[in-house]
Amino acid sequence: MARTTTTARRTGGFPYLLVLPAVLLFAAFVVAPGGYALLLSFQRRKVNGGLLGGGTHTVFAGLANYRDVLGDADLWSGVLRMLALGAVTVPATVVFALLFAVLLDLERTRLKRITRLTIFLPYAVPGVIASLMWGFLYLPATSPIGGDRVDFFGQVAVYFSVGNVAVWGAVGFNMIVIYTALRALPAELFESARLDGASEWQIIRRIKVPMVLPAVVMCTLFTVLAALQVFNEPNTLKPLSNAVSSTWVPLMKIYDDAFGNSDIYSAAATSVVLTAAALAVSFVTARLIQSRVQQEAA
Amino acid sequence: MTATAGVSAPPRDRTTASPAAYRPRRIAILPTTALVLGALYCVVPTLWILVAATKSRTKLFSTDTYTPSLDLGIVHNIRDLSHYQGGIFWHWMLNSFFYAAVGGLLASLVSAATGYALAKYEFRGRGALFNTILAGVLLPQIVLAVPQYLLLSKVGLTDSLIGVLLPQLFNPYGIYLCKIYAQSAVPDSLLEAGRIDGAGEGRLFVSVGLRLMGPGLVTVFLLQFIAIWNNFLLPYVMLTSDDKFPLTVGLYSLLRHGAAEASLYSLVITGTLLSVLPVIALFLSLQRFWRIDLVTGALK
């Protein structure tokens, strides 16, 4: 893509006018809530003594909230569960998306249109609705897939059950992204390889997959980001099973602190910690992947 | 595959590939089967919900799970659901479409304006703004829902349409896509020609920029429409009055009540079915407008 430079002649304030809505929205709904959460995380409510409950007032708490949050076993087990879930969802989503994309790209595969569309469809089903559907499939009383014999909410099984809902919703979109990248590859890339007697499998492994690695990378990054913010699936399955507690993953814990215990100060501190951790993880992932891609390309 | 006659691959023990010289139109059985299995996995929950929704309350937990009920259970279920709290379910459906359509439209316009400015103008702070937006793509937006609620409750905007709509209008990924698209779809020469003809910058943006960015904007709109349609946590924390709920929050609240009275389960199942159908229909009809190559083309 040719980079074009534009002269700033006679444009005056117009570009500022164009970016103004986005800047305002960013300030109001990203910077301000973030700043406010930061402020709250250093505060605490103090009850004025007296048995008949005097009022309460807010005091500066320093790092006390952070100390409590980071020392909270509940949060750490939530983080572990989130990681366990991510260990299921991220590889499964990316591997199946890549697999289906490669299969769709094969010359002699049939039923491409219908299968492509069907696998893409769950993307338009909200996580909550998907969890409801799968939830009733898991529920012993209504399960058509042997929920009365298999405990889908068992100690280990629950991670696969919750992860399955997330994978079900995410594979299609990622498949389309990778498939589109595959279709954009010039055919002559493979022609010469075929003439040299390369098998279809070798072409996939040596040419196609390396060429679409950037698309696979982007899918991985988005899947990781989604895994860090997991909330909808476990939260929706919670009323159907005792296996999911109200603080099952970090985001559920934040919600529970803020609205269950009315402790917005802890919720704010946890939000700050989770946001920072998620940003760090996604930056590191992006970096790692970037350097890997450059190595592959070299 | 063009039959590369005369060039025979070295004999290999492969399950899928056979020398194409023999039967160039052979169907690849294994890949096709794998795709069909994948498609089945994706469609099974919907099919099952369809079957479950045909069952009346009592039958849901008693009849064999595979057999649909043929005594018009689904008609009763839809009627029960429509009567539930004075037809609130259909409110939720409308709300969902309202949030997604209006939010998607406004978010696309904001993204288009910002992306166009970043691509087509040099101005102070452009680099910083673009880097901020790139970082914004990596920002876990859902985590912000609770702080956004805390802040909006300070100014009394919670439990309002605005509280659900506004936070979803800033879409860094959409801005990024619009910038990439404007760079490739809006030629500078055309803008220059317009300037020579005396067109103002505003008019150029609307009649040249937006028009040429059209196909890309449809994709940005669809991406944001689905993101808002699928969103749960933000409306869930923002809204308390159930006539403002979108479908996701409404059905979830119905499920929560269902934990207390199992008869509501069949309403939840019917509601789930009804909420999936329109979006599938919408999806199929808008299929042609997806420009996912824009998403992948954004990769360097």
Side-chain angles (χ1 to χ4, degrees):
Chain A
M1 205 178 308
R3 274 304 312 270
T4 49
T5 50
T6 322
T7 46
R9 270 183 313 123
R10 286 175 295 122
T11 55
F14 188 65
Y16 294 103
L17 191 68
L18 283 178
V19 301
L20 187 68
V23 171
L24 286 180
L25 287 166
F26 179 72
F29 297 107
V30 178
V31 179
Y36 187 56
L38 204 58
L39 178 74
L40 286 174
S41 70
F42 292 113
Q43 293 178 337
R44 191 158 264 197
R45 186 174 296 140
K46 201 166 159 66
V47 182
N48 309 338
L51 261 182
L52 289 170
T56 57
H57 65 288
T58 315
V59 293
F60 178 74
L63 292 173
N65 288 327
Y66 287 96
R67 212 175 33 240
D68 292 355
V69 161
L70 293 175
D72 187 345
D74 221 15
L75 177 67
W76 286 110
S77 32
V79 169
L80 285 177
R81 287 191 204 97
M82 176 183 84
L83 293 175
L85 260 183
V88 173
T89 54
V90 177
T93 304
V94 177
V95 166
F96 278 108
L98 180 62
L99 172 76
F100 290 143
V102 164
L103 295 180
L104 280 175
D105 192 48
L106 285 175
E107 203 75 46
R108 291 174 297 116
T109 311
R110 289 288 172 273
L111 303 170
K112 281 183 207 186
R113 255 186 80 77
I114 179 81
T115 51
R116 192 179 69 209
L117 198 63
T118 314
I119 298 172
F120 190 29
L121 268 184
Y123 164 61
V125 178
V128 172
I129 310 282
S131 309
L132 285 174
M133 297 211 264
W134 282 102
F136 286 111
L137 285 166
Y138 298 148
L139 206 64
T142 51
S143 174
I145 50 172
D148 49 349
R149 288 183 301 279
V150 186
D151 181 7
F152 285 103
F153 295 112
Q155 225 172 1
V156 176
V158 71
Y159 294 100
F160 290 93
S161 299
V162 176
N164 171 55
V165 183
V167 172
W168 182 80
V171 163
F173 183 77
N174 292 302
M175 169 192 80
I176 296 283
V177 169
I178 298 170
Y179 176 62
T180 314
L182 280 170
R183 301 301 294 170
L185 299 176
E188 48 270 25
L189 274 177
F190 323 123
E191 287 308 315
S192 54
R194 281 206 185 96
L195 290 177
D196 291 344
S199 68
E200 205 58 46
W201 168 242
Q202 283 172 315
I203 290 175
I204 289 169
R205 251 197 58 195
R206 298 280 159 80
I207 304 175
K208 285 182 179 177
V209 173
M211 293 291 287
V212 296
L213 214 52
V216 178
V217 163
M218 194 172 76
C219 293
T220 310
L221 187 59
F222 282 153
T223 318
V224 167
L225 264 176
L228 291 169
Q229 306 176 75
V230 64
F231 177 87
N232 295 353
E233 293 85 1
N235 189 58
T236 310
L237 291 170
K238 191 181 62 174
L240 295 173
S241 157
N242 296 330
V244 181
S245 65
S246 59
T247 55
W248 208 65
V249 285
L251 206 46
M252 286 173 78
K253 169 128 179 75
I254 292 174
Y255 180 86
D256 193 60
D257 277 344
F259 301 99
N261 312 327
S262 303
D263 181 0
I264 56 172
Y265 307 100
S266 286
T270 315
S271 297
V272 171
V273 170
L274 185 60
T275 307
L279 265 178
V281 169
S282 46
F283 269 120
V284 169
T285 314
R287 268 293 143 80
L288 266 181
I289 293 169
Q290 235 178 358
S291 60
R292 278 296 297 278
V293 170
Q294 275 155 4
Q295 274 174 19
E296 292 279 350
Chain B
M1 188 164 164
T2 45
T4 48
V7 183
S8 58
R12 273 175 206 292
D13 191 20
R14 294 257 176 254
T15 36
T16 51
S18 68
Y22 287 119
R23 277 173 297 176
R25 305 305 306 157
R26 218 181 67 108
I27 297 173
I29 303 281
L30 209 64
T32 308
T33 314
L35 278 173
V36 168
L37 285 176
L40 277 177
Y41 161 70
C42 286
V43 84
V44 151
T46 317
L47 289 182
W48 181 80
I49 280 286
L50 193 59
V51 170
T54 63
K55 297 179 185 183
S56 63
R57 269 176 234 178
T58 42
K59 281 201 177 145
L60 179 62
F61 295 101
S62 60
T63 44
D64 182 24
T65 40
Y66 295 107
T67 26
S69 177
L70 299 174
D71 59 0
L72 294 181
I74 190 155
V75 177
H76 290 294
N77 283 338
I78 293 178
R79 205 171 44 209
D80 286 351
L81 184 63
S82 301
H83 286 172
Y84 179 75
Q85 289 192 5
I88 196 147
F89 173 80
W90 300 105
H91 262 283
W92 298 337
M93 183 82 90
L94 283 174
N95 290 343
S96 266
F97 271 104
F98 173 82
Y99 293 133
V102 174
L105 193 68
L106 292 174
S108 315
L109 284 174
V110 171
S111 301
T114 317
Y116 176 83
L118 288 170
K120 293 288 144 194
Y121 291 106
E122 295 280 358
F123 56 94
R124 278 177 65 94
R126 185 177 80 152
L129 181 63
F130 185 59
N131 287 332
T132 311
I133 283 158
L134 275 186
V137 173
L138 296 181
L139 187 81
Q141 289 231 9
I142 302 177
V143 180
L144 280 172
V146 173
Q148 279 165 349
Y149 166 83
L150 297 174
L151 191 67
L152 285 180
S153 67
K154 277 276 180 217
V155 290
L157 275 179
T158 50
D159 199 27
S160 68
L161 300 178
I162 287 180
V164 176
L165 272 180
L166 282 183
Q168 305 191 86
L169 298 187
F170 175 73
N171 175 6
Y173 187 56
I175 295 173
Y176 175 66
L177 291 180
C178 283
K179 173 187 183 275
I180 301 284
Y181 200 68
Q183 267 171 350
S184 66
V186 185
D188 278 343
S189 52
L190 209 56
L191 295 175
E192 282 306 327
R195 283 183 190 124
I196 289 164
D197 290 344
E201 298 299 322
R203 231 196 99 193
L204 283 176
F205 168 61
V206 175
S207 56
V208 179
L210 279 185
R211 217 164 44 85
L212 291 177
M213 287 164 75
L217 281 181
V218 174
T219 299
V220 171
F221 168 79
L222 287 173
L223 285 169
Q224 192 61 4
F225 181 97
I226 296 217
I228 297 176
W229 175 268
N230 289 350
N231 199 344
F232 170 77
L233 187 58
L234 183 80
Y236 181 54
V237 298
M238 285 290 172
L239 301 172
T240 42
S241 30
D242 51 11
D243 61 332
K244 297 196 182 81
F245 285 175
L247 273 172
T248 47
V249 181
L251 285 173
Y252 177 75
S253 65
L254 201 58
L255 179 77
R256 286 267 299 271
H257 294 306
E261 40 179 323
S263 64
L264 285 180
Y265 273 173
S266 56
L267 290 191
V268 175
I269 288 177
T270 311
T272 303
L273 175 72
L274 292 178
S275 69
V276 169
L277 294 181
V279 94
I280 288 182
L282 185 81
F283 211 67
L284 295 183
S285 54
L286 288 177
Q287 231 224 113
R288 305 184 292 120
F289 298 107
W290 279 100
R291 292 282 315 274
I292 302 285
D293 55 326
L294 173 67
V295 179
T296 33
L299 293 163
K300 271 288 176 293

